[in-house]
Amino acid sequence: MQWVLFLLLLFVNSMEMLAQARRKKRVSTTLFENCTGCVMCSEDNGCISCQQRLFLLIWRDGIRQYGACVHGCPPGYFGVRGQEVNRCIKCRSPSCDSCFSKDFCMKCKEQFYLHKGKCFSSCPQDTVALHSTRECQGKPKKCDVGPWGSWSPCNNQGRTCGSKWGSTTRVREVLRPSKDDAAACQTLSESRKCRLKKICPGEKKENKKNEKRERKQRRKKKLESLMVI
């Protein structure tokens, strides 16, 4: 009787072990819906490898690991394409919503500000927060300059007369000469239009002399033409 019970328990135990082994090897049709895009899939851990162009996303739930094949990596991950498998890798910073690499963030989660690839709860010193883009921007540097100088004489290509219009310029200097100040000072000179004397002094008499000379030459030519006739 004892031998019969022993053999019966042994048979039941072997059947359970066989069924468990079969469950681990096969992928059921109901589970295959969660293995979309998989090349290899496990009942316990999901996708192990993906079809070409898809990314393998792996996450943990306690001590258990799960895998899924996705077309694009979710927030907090970035995609890396490899020869054998494309993977979604998690951003190192938990406050990062989208990253270019593990340590370079491109977009932060709400209530954080982006500055040079990092996420901050408040912007660092010498920066200001842009609430529309959730980014930190450098503060504009102050330009410490002196007062404007006097306007230069009105001229046109170096001449102060002889045309109707010219230009005049004035400048100002940086009080603390340094590279940073000079770069911040965008307007150190300005120009404006001004009116010139159309005829330069002395040109009027010279013009009259030229006109008289031309009139005499015309009269002379006219007389010569009449004498020929």
Side-chain angles (χ1 to χ4, degrees):
M1 188 67 180
Q2 291 179 353
W3 282 100
V4 175
L5 290 174
F6 176 75
L7 291 173
L8 183 61
L9 290 172
L10 185 62
F11 176 75
V12 171
N13 189 31
S14 61
M15 290 298 291
E16 287 181 356
M17 291 178 65
L18 181 63
Q20 187 177 3
R22 286 178 178 175
R23 282 197 302 270
K24 287 183 178 181
K25 288 181 181 180
R26 71 181 176 84
V27 177
S28 65
T29 54
T30 56
L31 185 62
F32 191 76
E33 295 176 358
N34 298 326
C35 293
T36 304
C38 297
V39 175
M40 294 179 61
C41 194
S42 165
E43 279 190 347
D44 297 326
N45 303 108
C47 291
I48 299 173
S49 63
C50 300
Q51 296 176 6
Q52 198 174 14
R53 296 185 179 179
L54 297 182
F55 290 91
L56 178 61
L57 173 64
I58 296 176
W59 71 96
R60 290 185 178 276
D61 184 8
I63 60 172
R64 198 167 183 179
Q65 180 175 284
Y66 298 93
C69 295
V70 294
H71 289 278
C73 296
Y77 290 81
F78 69 99
V80 176
R81 295 191 179 275
Q83 294 182 350
E84 297 182 358
V85 62
N86 304 323
R87 295 184 180 275
C88 288
I89 299 177
K90 194 172 185 178
C91 304
R92 190 182 297 275
S93 173
S95 55
C96 184
D97 191 51
S98 175
C99 56
F100 176 76
S101 63
K102 206 165 189 176
D103 295 305
F104 193 92
C105 191
M106 295 190 299
K107 183 182 177 183
C108 300
K109 293 181 178 178
E110 292 184 4
Q111 298 180 353
F112 289 92
Y113 294 91
L114 180 66
H115 181 62
K116 294 183 178 180
K118 305 289 183 183
C119 294
F120 299 88
S121 57
S122 60
C123 288
Q125 289 183 351
D126 298 328
T127 63
V128 291
L130 300 178
H131 300 288
S132 58
T133 58
R134 306 298 298 180
E135 294 179 357
C136 300
Q137 187 182 54
K139 290 182 180 178
K141 295 177 180 178
K142 294 181 179 179
C143 181
D144 192 5
V145 294
W148 286 106
S150 302
W151 289 101
S152 65
C154 189
N155 70 91
N156 186 340
Q157 296 181 353
R159 297 190 63 188
T160 58
C161 59
S163 57
K164 189 175 182 180
W165 296 101
S167 63
T168 179
T169 306
R170 66 177 182 175
V171 297
R172 58 182 178 178
E173 296 181 351
V174 180
L175 296 179
R176 291 182 301 172
S178 68
K179 291 182 178 180
D180 293 338
D181 291 336
C185 301
Q186 297 180 359
T187 307
L188 294 176
S189 67
E190 61 180 5
S191 301
R192 67 182 182 184
K193 196 175 181 181
C194 56
R195 186 179 288 276
L196 286 173
K197 292 182 179 180
K198 196 170 183 180
I199 299 176
C200 295
E203 285 186 355
K204 194 171 184 179
K205 293 182 179 179
E206 187 67 28
N207 290 339
K208 286 183 178 180
K209 288 181 181 180
N210 292 334
E211 287 175 1
K212 286 181 180 180
R213 193 180 298 113
E214 288 176 359
R215 282 198 298 267
K216 285 181 180 180
Q217 288 177 355
R218 285 196 297 267
R219 287 174 186 173
K220 186 177 179 180
K221 287 181 181 180
K222 191 173 182 180
L223 289 172
E224 288 177 350
S225 61
L226 290 171
M227 288 177 66
V228 171
I229 295 173

